[in-house]
Amino acid sequence: MKVAVVGATGLVGQVMLQVLEERKFPVSELLAVASKRSIGKTVQFNQKDYTVMGMADAIAQKPDIAIFSAGGSTSLEYAPKFAEVGTTVVDNSSAWRMHKDKKLIVPEINAHTLTAEDKIIANPNCSTIQMVVALNKLHQTYNAKRLVISTYQSVTGTGKAAVNQLTFERSNLPGDKVYPYQIDLNCLPHCDIFLDNGYTKEEMKLVHETRKILGTPDMGITATAVRVPVVGGHSESVNVTFEKDFEMADIHKILNETEGVTVMDNPERDIYPMPFHSQGKDAVFVGRIRRDDSAPNSLNMWIVSDNLRKGAATNAVQIAEYLVANKILATA
Ligand code: A2P
């Protein structure tokens, strides 16, 4: 496969290169693409240096697949240009996720809906991916009617500049701020921009993307997304109300059997998931699993995952793997 990684110098792009390498994705030629600022710089892949190229050069080389993580406006402008030359685009931005003709894919849940017609495929938001991976099988069994979500999101979700802000603040050095306030020793109930309804765009992504992936347009979902001074790994408190009642033993059994989920839940031994040990791993970790006694058929869970991996790069690479394995790419 001739593979373009668009945004190869960014936080997610760098993890994409690492994940492609680790999973031995069949890359015969790598095109490392970034903004004009980075043309001529090098990135590493499989212990080799690759010179960063611009969009026009990459499109001219008609890659088989382009994995994008270069921001929404870049995807909006360039994904169709790649698609036009026959490239299948897997896009990590929010640009195409809610487009009615574009599929929003978490491989464990809905990769089977992909066909060769899908030339721009959307990768969901990081907070959404980890939640639906944990929730999907439970939902299939008990029919989730309502979700109340609170997120504790790492600064890596905002990109390199946000990690720099936290690092400067920790070292008491001057530097540019990407958040409206200090993030070190603080938490901001503000991820992405505010919308007219008083929610943030990140909160509404959880609502709309979850409904689209699970095919549940009427599911009641409300979210509060909070940025915390953590460098890698998003955490979420999720309260679910199901239509059907459940036994806790069955909930544990289902979660233990859910593809992509690792249960870490032993309060007696202080075992629960934390962003700290999710870093660099692909699993979605679930713990603090307990019945919500304040409402019928309700459950609390604590869900943690590395937002740069399963929340972004790994999910995108898994989509690409599915396309290759099922010969959905034109050249596969
Ligand atoms: P660059 O490093 O040249 O700015 P992050 O979210 O970690 O900041 O990363 C964003 C990624 O998207 C970087 O690789 C960045 O490249 C890339 N990028 C931003 N704007 C464009 C653009 N207009 N065309 C191509 N790549 C872009």
Side-chain angles (χ1 to χ4, degrees), residues 36-57:
K36 290 198 175 91
R37 294 179 290 275
S38 299
I39 294 175
K41 285 187 186 165
T42 54
V43 295
Q44 278 225 328
F45 176 67
N46 272 337
Q47 281 130 37
K48 272 174 52 187
D49 284 340
Y50 287 81
T51 305
V52 172
M53 64 177 74
M55 288 288 196
D57 281 349

PDB file of all heavy atoms in Angstrom, residues 36-57:
ATOM      1  N   LYS A  36       2.850  23.582   5.122  1.00  0.00           N
ATOM      2  CA  LYS A  36       4.004  24.166   4.403  1.00  0.00           C
ATOM      3  C   LYS A  36       5.172  24.418   5.351  1.00  0.00           C
ATOM      4  O   LYS A  36       6.329  24.300   4.968  1.00  0.00           O
ATOM      5  CB  LYS A  36       3.587  25.492   3.755  1.00  0.00           C
ATOM      6  CG  LYS A  36       2.632  25.317   2.591  1.00  0.00           C
ATOM      7  CD  LYS A  36       2.609  26.573   1.715  1.00  0.00           C
ATOM      8  CE  LYS A  36       1.746  26.344   0.495  1.00  0.00           C
ATOM      9  NZ  LYS A  36       0.344  26.729   0.705  1.00  0.00           N
ATOM     10  N   ARG A  37       4.825  24.742   6.623  1.00  0.00           N
ATOM     11  CA  ARG A  37       5.874  25.030   7.624  1.00  0.00           C
ATOM     12  C   ARG A  37       6.845  23.865   7.791  1.00  0.00           C
ATOM     13  O   ARG A  37       7.991  24.052   8.151  1.00  0.00           O
ATOM     14  CB  ARG A  37       5.244  25.260   9.012  1.00  0.00           C
ATOM     15  CG  ARG A  37       4.394  26.465   9.162  1.00  0.00           C
ATOM     16  CD  ARG A  37       3.838  26.525  10.587  1.00  0.00           C
ATOM     17  NE  ARG A  37       2.831  25.494  10.865  1.00  0.00           N
ATOM     18  CZ  ARG A  37       1.550  25.604  10.577  1.00  0.00           C
ATOM     19  NH1 ARG A  37       1.108  26.688   9.997  1.00  0.00           N
ATOM     20  NH2 ARG A  37       0.684  24.637  10.840  1.00  0.00           N
ATOM     21  N   SER A  38       6.364  22.655   7.544  1.00  0.00           N
ATOM     22  CA  SER A  38       7.190  21.477   7.868  1.00  0.00           C
ATOM     23  C   SER A  38       7.822  20.815   6.646  1.00  0.00           C
ATOM     24  O   SER A  38       8.556  19.832   6.805  1.00  0.00           O
ATOM     25  CB  SER A  38       6.339  20.432   8.589  1.00  0.00           C
ATOM     26  OG  SER A  38       5.842  20.961   9.774  1.00  0.00           O
ATOM     27  N   ILE A  39       7.528  21.337   5.455  1.00  0.00           N
ATOM     28  CA  ILE A  39       8.077  20.683   4.260  1.00  0.00           C
ATOM     29  C   ILE A  39       9.607  20.660   4.359  1.00  0.00           C
ATOM     30  O   ILE A  39      10.234  21.663   4.687  1.00  0.00           O
ATOM     31  CB  ILE A  39       7.600  21.401   2.963  1.00  0.00           C
ATOM     32  CG1 ILE A  39       6.088  21.215   2.826  1.00  0.00           C
ATOM     33  CG2 ILE A  39       8.337  20.882   1.726  1.00  0.00           C
ATOM     34  CD1 ILE A  39       5.451  21.961   1.684  1.00  0.00           C
ATOM     35  N   GLY A  40      10.186  19.481   4.123  1.00  0.00           N
ATOM     36  CA  GLY A  40      11.640  19.346   4.192  1.00  0.00           C
ATOM     37  C   GLY A  40      12.116  18.787   5.531  1.00  0.00           C
ATOM     38  O   GLY A  40      13.213  18.261   5.625  1.00  0.00           O
ATOM     39  N   LYS A  41      11.277  18.924   6.584  1.00  0.00           N
ATOM     40  CA  LYS A  41      11.660  18.292   7.864  1.00  0.00           C
ATOM     41  C   LYS A  41      11.577  16.773   7.691  1.00  0.00           C
ATOM     42  O   LYS A  41      11.031  16.294   6.700  1.00  0.00           O
ATOM     43  CB  LYS A  41      10.662  18.677   8.965  1.00  0.00           C
ATOM     44  CG  LYS A  41      10.816  20.093   9.475  1.00  0.00           C
ATOM     45  CD  LYS A  41       9.887  20.270  10.682  1.00  0.00           C
ATOM     46  CE  LYS A  41       9.865  21.705  11.162  1.00  0.00           C
ATOM     47  NZ  LYS A  41       8.754  21.985  12.064  1.00  0.00           N
ATOM     48  N   THR A  42      12.067  16.030   8.663  1.00  0.00           N
ATOM     49  CA  THR A  42      11.952  14.573   8.531  1.00  0.00           C
ATOM     50  C   THR A  42      11.161  13.981   9.691  1.00  0.00           C
ATOM     51  O   THR A  42      11.130  14.532  10.785  1.00  0.00           O
ATOM     52  CB  THR A  42      13.337  13.877   8.482  1.00  0.00           C
ATOM     53  OG1 THR A  42      14.070  14.284   9.614  1.00  0.00           O
ATOM     54  CG2 THR A  42      14.097  14.188   7.220  1.00  0.00           C
ATOM     55  N   VAL A  43      10.491  12.858   9.389  1.00  0.00           N
ATOM     56  CA  VAL A  43       9.855  12.064  10.441  1.00  0.00           C
ATOM     57  C   VAL A  43      10.381  10.642  10.281  1.00  0.00           C
ATOM     58  O   VAL A  43      10.868  10.274   9.211  1.00  0.00           O
ATOM     59  CB  VAL A  43       8.304  12.073  10.333  1.00  0.00           C
ATOM     60  CG1 VAL A  43       7.745  13.464  10.560  1.00  0.00           C
ATOM     61  CG2 VAL A  43       7.820  11.494   9.011  1.00  0.00           C
ATOM     62  N   GLN A  44      10.272   9.879  11.352  1.00  0.00           N
ATOM     63  CA  GLN A  44      10.803   8.509  11.313  1.00  0.00           C
ATOM     64  C   GLN A  44       9.701   7.480  11.180  1.00  0.00           C
ATOM     65  O   GLN A  44       8.637   7.615  11.794  1.00  0.00           O
ATOM     66  CB  GLN A  44      11.553   8.237  12.616  1.00  0.00           C
ATOM     67  CG  GLN A  44      12.969   8.771  12.609  1.00  0.00           C
ATOM     68  CD  GLN A  44      13.943   7.741  13.167  1.00  0.00           C
ATOM     69  OE1 GLN A  44      13.596   6.946  14.037  1.00  0.00           O
ATOM     70  NE2 GLN A  44      15.161   7.745  12.650  1.00  0.00           N
ATOM     71  N   PHE A  45       9.959   6.476  10.367  1.00  0.00           N
ATOM     72  CA  PHE A  45       9.034   5.348  10.257  1.00  0.00           C
ATOM     73  C   PHE A  45       9.862   4.112   9.961  1.00  0.00           C
ATOM     74  O   PHE A  45      10.700   4.133   9.045  1.00  0.00           O
ATOM     75  CB  PHE A  45       8.018   5.609   9.125  1.00  0.00           C
ATOM     76  CG  PHE A  45       7.085   4.456   8.868  1.00  0.00           C
ATOM     77  CD1 PHE A  45       6.140   4.087   9.818  1.00  0.00           C
ATOM     78  CD2 PHE A  45       7.176   3.717   7.700  1.00  0.00           C
ATOM     79  CE1 PHE A  45       5.287   3.016   9.600  1.00  0.00           C
ATOM     80  CE2 PHE A  45       6.332   2.648   7.460  1.00  0.00           C
ATOM     81  CZ  PHE A  45       5.386   2.300   8.419  1.00  0.00           C
ATOM     82  N   ASN A  46       9.662   3.059  10.735  1.00  0.00           N
ATOM     83  CA  ASN A  46      10.452   1.837  10.567  1.00  0.00           C
ATOM     84  C   ASN A  46      11.952   2.129  10.510  1.00  0.00           C
ATOM     85  O   ASN A  46      12.662   1.665   9.621  1.00  0.00           O
ATOM     86  CB  ASN A  46      10.022   1.095   9.297  1.00  0.00           C
ATOM     87  CG  ASN A  46       8.880   0.135   9.585  1.00  0.00           C
ATOM     88  OD1 ASN A  46       8.684  -0.295  10.724  1.00  0.00           O
ATOM     89  ND2 ASN A  46       8.114  -0.177   8.556  1.00  0.00           N
ATOM     90  N   GLN A  47      12.393   2.951  11.448  1.00  0.00           N
ATOM     91  CA  GLN A  47      13.814   3.314  11.579  1.00  0.00           C
ATOM     92  C   GLN A  47      14.406   4.018  10.362  1.00  0.00           C
ATOM     93  O   GLN A  47      15.618   4.049  10.172  1.00  0.00           O
ATOM     94  CB  GLN A  47      14.671   2.080  11.888  1.00  0.00           C
ATOM     95  CG  GLN A  47      14.592   1.672  13.347  1.00  0.00           C
ATOM     96  CD  GLN A  47      14.283   0.203  13.489  1.00  0.00           C
ATOM     97  OE1 GLN A  47      14.748  -0.617  12.702  1.00  0.00           O
ATOM     98  NE2 GLN A  47      13.477  -0.135  14.474  1.00  0.00           N
ATOM     99  N   LYS A  48      13.524   4.570   9.511  1.00  0.00           N
ATOM    100  CA  LYS A  48      14.043   5.326   8.362  1.00  0.00           C
ATOM    101  C   LYS A  48      13.516   6.744   8.438  1.00  0.00           C
ATOM    102  O   LYS A  48      12.417   6.973   8.959  1.00  0.00           O
ATOM    103  CB  LYS A  48      13.579   4.680   7.053  1.00  0.00           C
ATOM    104  CG  LYS A  48      14.543   3.597   6.587  1.00  0.00           C
ATOM    105  CD  LYS A  48      14.084   2.823   5.390  1.00  0.00           C
ATOM    106  CE  LYS A  48      13.656   3.607   4.166  1.00  0.00           C
ATOM    107  NZ  LYS A  48      13.066   2.697   3.147  1.00  0.00           N
ATOM    108  N   ASP A  49      14.296   7.693   7.907  1.00  0.00           N
ATOM    109  CA  ASP A  49      13.831   9.082   7.863  1.00  0.00           C
ATOM    110  C   ASP A  49      13.025   9.315   6.602  1.00  0.00           C
ATOM    111  O   ASP A  49      13.409   8.868   5.510  1.00  0.00           O
ATOM    112  CB  ASP A  49      15.043  10.030   7.847  1.00  0.00           C
ATOM    113  CG  ASP A  49      15.671  10.135   9.228  1.00  0.00           C
ATOM    114  OD1 ASP A  49      14.986   9.811  10.219  1.00  0.00           O
ATOM    115  OD2 ASP A  49      16.849  10.529   9.296  1.00  0.00           O
ATOM    116  N   TYR A  50      11.913   9.991   6.749  1.00  0.00           N
ATOM    117  CA  TYR A  50      11.087  10.372   5.601  1.00  0.00           C
ATOM    118  C   TYR A  50      10.968  11.890   5.565  1.00  0.00           C
ATOM    119  O   TYR A  50      10.695  12.504   6.600  1.00  0.00           O
ATOM    120  CB  TYR A  50       9.693   9.746   5.694  1.00  0.00           C
ATOM    121  CG  TYR A  50       9.707   8.268   5.416  1.00  0.00           C
ATOM    122  CD1 TYR A  50      10.071   7.358   6.401  1.00  0.00           C
ATOM    123  CD2 TYR A  50       9.398   7.782   4.134  1.00  0.00           C
ATOM    124  CE1 TYR A  50      10.120   5.997   6.138  1.00  0.00           C
ATOM    125  CE2 TYR A  50       9.441   6.423   3.870  1.00  0.00           C
ATOM    126  CZ  TYR A  50       9.808   5.540   4.878  1.00  0.00           C
ATOM    127  OH  TYR A  50       9.856   4.194   4.609  1.00  0.00           O
ATOM    128  N   THR A  51      11.177  12.469   4.399  1.00  0.00           N
ATOM    129  CA  THR A  51      11.077  13.927   4.272  1.00  0.00           C
ATOM    130  C   THR A  51       9.617  14.320   4.117  1.00  0.00           C
ATOM    131  O   THR A  51       8.883  13.736   3.318  1.00  0.00           O
ATOM    132  CB  THR A  51      11.902  14.398   3.043  1.00  0.00           C
ATOM    133  OG1 THR A  51      13.227  13.913   3.210  1.00  0.00           O
ATOM    134  CG2 THR A  51      11.916  15.914   2.939  1.00  0.00           C
ATOM    135  N   VAL A  52       9.220  15.292   4.914  1.00  0.00           N
ATOM    136  CA  VAL A  52       7.819  15.740   4.896  1.00  0.00           C
ATOM    137  C   VAL A  52       7.526  16.480   3.596  1.00  0.00           C
ATOM    138  O   VAL A  52       8.323  17.292   3.131  1.00  0.00           O
ATOM    139  CB  VAL A  52       7.555  16.666   6.114  1.00  0.00           C
ATOM    140  CG1 VAL A  52       6.173  17.303   6.035  1.00  0.00           C
ATOM    141  CG2 VAL A  52       7.722  15.885   7.420  1.00  0.00           C
ATOM    142  N   MET A  53       6.377  16.137   3.008  1.00  0.00           N
ATOM    143  CA  MET A  53       5.958  16.795   1.760  1.00  0.00           C
ATOM    144  C   MET A  53       4.650  17.547   1.984  1.00  0.00           C
ATOM    145  O   MET A  53       3.972  17.355   3.004  1.00  0.00           O
ATOM    146  CB  MET A  53       5.796  15.760   0.643  1.00  0.00           C
ATOM    147  CG  MET A  53       4.703  14.745   0.902  1.00  0.00           C
ATOM    148  SD  MET A  53       4.482  13.602  -0.488  1.00  0.00           S
ATOM    149  CE  MET A  53       5.908  12.583  -0.325  1.00  0.00           C
ATOM    150  N   GLY A  54       4.308  18.387   1.022  1.00  0.00           N
ATOM    151  CA  GLY A  54       3.061  19.152   1.100  1.00  0.00           C
ATOM    152  C   GLY A  54       1.908  18.369   0.482  1.00  0.00           C
ATOM    153  O   GLY A  54       2.092  17.290  -0.108  1.00  0.00           O
ATOM    154  N   MET A  55       0.714  18.939   0.593  1.00  0.00           N
ATOM    155  CA  MET A  55      -0.506  18.281   0.110  1.00  0.00           C
ATOM    156  C   MET A  55      -0.458  17.989  -1.389  1.00  0.00           C
ATOM    157  O   MET A  55      -0.801  16.897  -1.826  1.00  0.00           O
ATOM    158  CB  MET A  55      -1.713  19.178   0.374  1.00  0.00           C
ATOM    159  CG  MET A  55      -2.089  19.246   1.804  1.00  0.00           C
ATOM    160  SD  MET A  55      -2.814  17.670   2.280  1.00  0.00           S
ATOM    161  CE  MET A  55      -3.581  18.202   3.782  1.00  0.00           C
ATOM    162  N   ALA A  56      -0.042  19.013  -2.167  1.00  0.00           N
ATOM    163  CA  ALA A  56      -0.115  18.876  -3.629  1.00  0.00           C
ATOM    164  C   ALA A  56       0.746  17.699  -4.096  1.00  0.00           C
ATOM    165  O   ALA A  56       0.306  16.876  -4.918  1.00  0.00           O
ATOM    166  CB  ALA A  56       0.327  20.169  -4.300  1.00  0.00           C
ATOM    167  N   ASP A  57       1.944  17.597  -3.523  1.00  0.00           N
ATOM    168  CA  ASP A  57       2.847  16.493  -3.911  1.00  0.00           C
ATOM    169  C   ASP A  57       2.228  15.146  -3.550  1.00  0.00           C
ATOM    170  O   ASP A  57       2.308  14.181  -4.319  1.00  0.00           O
ATOM    171  CB  ASP A  57       4.186  16.602  -3.163  1.00  0.00           C
ATOM    172  CG  ASP A  57       5.083  17.637  -3.800  1.00  0.00           C
ATOM    173  OD1 ASP A  57       4.753  18.089  -4.912  1.00  0.00           O
ATOM    174  OD2 ASP A  57       6.096  17.996  -3.160  1.00  0.00           O
TER     175      ASP A  57
END
